[in-house]
Amino acid sequence: MGFPLFRTEGSSDGDRTQTRAADEMGITSEWHEAMENLLDSHVFLVTGRYDLDLDELADIIGETAVMNLWACTFEDMLSRDFDGRNLAEDYLKRRGWKESASNRAYIKALSDARMSLYEVSGIKRGQGFFARDLMRGGEPVWVNEGLRTHDLAEGDRLAARIVEVNGRAELGLATLWFSLVASEEVIETFEELKNLSRKEMAGMMTGLVEALEAEGGMADAVDGISLEEFKQAIAGDAGDASDEPMGIEAILASSPEQFTNIWLEHMLDRLLGPPSGLEDDADEPEEIDDRK
């Protein structure tokens, strides 16, 4: 399965229903293992509890949902530096001449964006909507979006990256819909994480990678990004290991996998019930939302 990549020509309104695989775009092999490792970090906390592997997910949650997880991982990959190397910069240096100026600007903006949780209002079908950032606060912003507005409802809560290109705010590739219950869990999780010191956060992220490694879910690339470089990239803005609190911007940069793990946990709980051994702790079922 290839990674969804950058928007195709003719999609400047934010409609990116067409995607191109990473191999077709010339993404070099040195990034492949890092991409696989990063995907593991985005789902491992949940798939481990349900004793599932990645190959089983599509049969349970559907291909569309799996591709959305890949898109979340790919956007995360674009935003991380690996020992001074960045996938978006690498791509633009090698293949940027094939992209239009607006696409090059979009790729750069996407690499600088951070996933956050937004509340939707003021929807105009086929045109866009207002998005209120529930993590950072502030006034709602108008987001230019066509196709996905037909799936939105007033008050929806979704996780996405909003990028600004030529003065226009647009959605990134990945969009995760959250129920009210799941969205409140996201907010509570990030409220706790932002108060951790950078040292505590770096230790937590390193522990995640080591847990994945112990389960055989981490591959050390021969010619690409080493596992040690991957660990440093995962630590992100927590990497200086100081006693300074993380703050919301740094935690959004370091921990986008919190969105995917919480989203996937609630989806599997609806579809399969709680993991084995936790049935007695299950809450009332959430309202089902089939959108991916």
Side-chain angles (χ1 to χ4, degrees):
M1 184 185 298
F3 281 88
L5 202 56
F6 313 121
R7 62 182 182 177
T8 57
E9 293 299 327
S11 62
S12 59
D13 66 346
D15 295 343
R16 280 170 288 280
T17 57
Q18 294 174 299
T19 58
R20 289 173 285 179
D23 288 342
E24 293 172 354
M25 294 299 297
I27 300 301
T28 55
S29 60
E30 69 173 307
W31 298 99
H32 288 177
E33 292 292 355
M35 286 180 175
E36 295 288 346
N37 288 343
L38 195 57
L39 177 61
D40 282 335
S41 75
H42 274 261
V43 300
F44 168 74
L45 294 177
V46 179
T47 56
R49 293 177 64 193
Y50 279 87
D51 194 24
L52 297 172
D53 59 40
L54 292 176
D55 293 334
E56 296 174 290
L57 270 184
D59 292 335
I60 298 171
I61 67 176
E63 287 286 350
T64 300
V66 170
M67 287 304 296
N68 217 357
L69 290 173
W70 279 88
C72 289
T73 304
F74 185 77
E75 289 180 336
D76 186 10
M77 186 78 179
L78 291 178
S79 71
R80 293 188 187 269
D81 289 331
F82 295 83
D83 194 26
R85 290 175 289 173
N86 174 269
L87 176 57
E89 292 177 0
D90 178 70
Y91 173 79
L92 289 173
K93 287 178 182 177
R94 294 183 301 101
R95 304 291 290 272
W97 60 272
K98 298 183 67 175
E99 299 285 351
S100 66
S102 63
N103 269 8
R104 291 195 299 272
Y106 177 84
I107 293 166
K108 179 61 171 65
L110 189 58
S111 70
D112 292 334
R114 301 291 179 256
M115 179 167 273
S116 192
L117 184 69
Y118 298 94
E119 187 173 66
V120 172
S121 64
I123 302 166
K124 292 186 177 180
R125 305 297 179 193
Q127 298 181 44
F129 60 94
F130 284 100
R132 182 168 69 94
D133 195 327
L134 298 176
M135 311 301 289
R136 301 181 179 97
E139 294 298 316
V141 298
W142 176 257
V143 179
N144 292 277
E145 175 60 39
L147 185 65
R148 281 176 281 189
T149 58
H150 297 286
D151 294 324
L152 291 174
E154 295 289 322
D156 270 354
R157 292 184 171 188
L158 54 88
R161 295 176 192 246
I162 293 179
V163 301
E164 185 171 326
V165 182
N166 298 324
R168 290 162 49 94
E170 303 180 16
L171 282 180
L173 300 167
T175 308
L176 300 175
W177 271 269
F178 282 82
S179 67
L180 180 61
V181 172
S183 68
E184 290 300 325
E185 183 177 338
V186 168
I187 292 170
E188 291 173 6
T189 297
F190 277 90
E191 279 294 316
E192 293 175 3
L193 291 177
K194 77 177 185 181
N195 294 319
L196 293 179
S197 70
R198 293 176 182 269
K199 182 186 298 184
E200 291 170 327
M201 189 64 193
M204 190 179 85
M205 298 309 294
T206 299
L208 170 62
V209 175
E210 290 175 348
L212 281 164
E213 190 177 4
E215 290 290 327
M218 290 275 112
D220 197 356
V222 176
D223 299 318
I225 307 300
S226 72
L227 199 52
E228 186 58 37
E229 290 172 325
F230 182 81
K231 290 178 182 178
Q232 293 172 1
I234 285 292
D237 289 341
D240 63 8
S242 70
D243 292 325
E244 178 185 352
M246 287 291 293
I248 191 60
E249 286 299 330
I251 208 65
L252 289 174
S254 297
S255 301
E257 74 285 340
Q258 295 293 337
F259 291 103
T260 48
N261 275 290
I262 292 172
W263 175 83
L264 182 59
E265 180 179 29
H266 282 260
M267 174 170 276
L268 289 178
D269 185 63
R270 291 198 305 267
L271 296 173
L272 303 177
S276 177
L278 298 180
E279 293 88 346
D280 293 340
D281 297 329
D283 296 324
E284 289 297 316
E286 296 178 47
E287 180 180 351
I288 294 177
D289 188 339
D290 291 328
R291 294 169 297 179
K292 307 299 190 292

